[in-house]
Structure formats: structure tokens, C-alpha cells
Amino acid sequence: LNPGVELPDQAIHVVHRTESSGTTYVFTDWLSKVSPAWARQIGRTKDPSFPVGIGGTGSEGVTRVVKQTPGAIGYVELNYATTNHLPVALLKNPAGNFVAPSLETVQAATEGVTLPPDYRGSITNADGPDAYPIATFTFLLINKHYDSCTKARVILHVLWWAYHSEEARAEAHNLSYVTLPQKLQARVDATLHSITCDDGEKVLG
């Protein structure tokens, strides 16, 4: 995979999360898609039994161990890698291209994705020439119906602001998160408009 590159004769130290985590689930989901051996022996899970490696608590712990350990390799969210100036691996995507993690390549992974009605779906190893293979949506769990319209309006108006405000979008990008593709945003908007409160009143009208 690295023709012409002189790799160091150095031990590789694998660093992983010690606790159950969504980040680990996404990482093992990707590994299960690209490695039949991983899929067979460990699979996709929030709390795998890693066969080798050093544990770190949370993304902060993984970041700290990677920075302090020569020859270490680990997995963290993009914002941790960026703010801590960690070198990142270019990964081969299904199109055969080696891409680095960035707002643009993660955004590319979200394009063209079709999710089921309940939104439960994976975008790891997504198609597309520029798609970074280890990407995920962030999932929010909200009620379909709220007893209190007052409470519901606060929740849904905050969500509407997060999805549609330029200020919120800019802040998301500052934190290394991308916004939803337009097709999916239209579905999310329809879901938010379907939420009811009290005796069936639509929260957003």
C-alpha cells in the first residue's frame, strides 16, 4: 500500500477505548466491512475485546496515549485529531482512492446515502471517490409526542436552530462536524414537523 516509502523498523502500539463507546462502534463497523477476519472474530460492537493494545479512557485518553507513545496508532473523532495536531492516516475507500479525514471527505461520505424510515443506518465505507471510509451521522433520540407543549417547543426550536441557523452550522464546522445533505435534511424537517404535544397539537405548526 506504500510503494517507495521507507517505513521505520519500529513496533506498532495499538491504542483503543477502554469503555463502551459509539466511536468504537463506528470503528468496528468499518473494520467489519473491510476485514472478514475481524467481522468473524470480533464484529461491530461498542465494547469489543481487543486482542492487542493499550487502553485509554474516552477520546481524551486515547489522544493522550497516542501522543505519549512512540509508534502508537489509535482512533478518535476528527476534532480531537485536529485540535491535538495528530498525524492522520489516509484510508482506501471503495472507489480505490486514499483519502484523509476532513470536513470535505466526511461530507462526501454523507452524499447519496439512503437511510431507512427510522434513520438507523451506517455510512462507513460509503461509495464516492472522495468519501472518507470511517464516518457516521450523530443520532438524536426525541419523543414522537410530548405531554407538555411548552417543553416540546423548547426542544424542537433548539433542534430547528441547530439544523438551519448559519451560526449553528458555522459552529458545527468549527468543531469538525458537517451538516446534513439536503435530501436528508428535508426528511428530518418533515419528522420534526410531525412531532405532537398535549392533545395532538403539532409542535412546529
Side-chain angles (χ1 to χ4, degrees):
L1 293 179
N2 298 278
V5 177
E6 185 176 346
L7 299 175
D9 183 12
Q10 183 180 29
I12 297 173
H13 298 284
V14 177
V15 185
H16 57 79
R17 294 279 285 266
T18 56
E19 81 288 4
S20 174
S21 84
T23 303
T24 298
Y25 182 89
V26 175
F27 183 54
T28 59
D29 179 47
W30 172 73
L31 286 172
S32 296
K33 291 179 179 178
V34 299
S35 169
W38 181 278
R40 183 174 59 255
Q41 297 171 17
I42 301 174
R44 60 178 57 83
T45 173
K46 295 187 297 182
D47 192 18
S49 179
F50 282 97
V52 297
I54 309 166
T57 302
S59 291
E60 300 91 341
V62 171
T63 299
R64 182 170 56 253
V65 175
V66 167
K67 292 185 72 171
Q68 295 175 350
T69 308
I73 185 171
Y75 59 95
V76 293
E77 293 180 40
L78 178 59
N79 60 328
Y80 283 92
T82 302
T83 57
N84 288 280
H85 308 291
L86 296 177
V88 296
L90 278 67
L91 297 180
K92 187 177 182 179
N93 65 19
N97 299 325
F98 288 84
V99 295
S102 68
L103 289 175
E104 293 75 21
T105 59
V106 171
Q107 189 79 62
T110 70
E111 301 296 337
V113 171
T114 300
L115 294 179
D118 64 2
Y119 296 104
R120 296 184 187 185
S122 168
I123 60 170
T124 59
N125 226 34
D127 292 326
D130 301 318
Y132 188 69
I134 309 180
T136 183
F137 290 117
T138 297
F139 295 90
L140 301 173
L141 297 177
I142 62 174
N143 294 332
K144 292 182 177 181
H145 176 78
Y146 289 87
D147 292 334
S148 168
C149 281
T150 301
K151 178 179 179 180
R153 288 191 184 101
V154 171
I155 295 171
L156 266 66
H157 280 94
V158 166
L159 292 179
W160 194 267
W161 173 85
Y163 284 124
H164 295 280
S165 162
E166 289 302 322
E167 178 187 0
R169 288 169 177 261
E171 185 62 23
H173 283 183
N174 289 338
L175 296 171
S176 298
Y177 289 91
V178 302
T179 52
L180 293 178
Q182 187 173 358
K183 182 175 69 173
L184 184 56
Q185 183 62 66
R187 278 187 55 194
V188 170
D189 289 350
T191 298
L192 294 179
H193 276 291
S194 72
I195 305 300
T196 59
C197 59
D198 288 348
D199 296 325
E201 177 183 347
K202 294 288 183 67
V203 179
L204 295 180

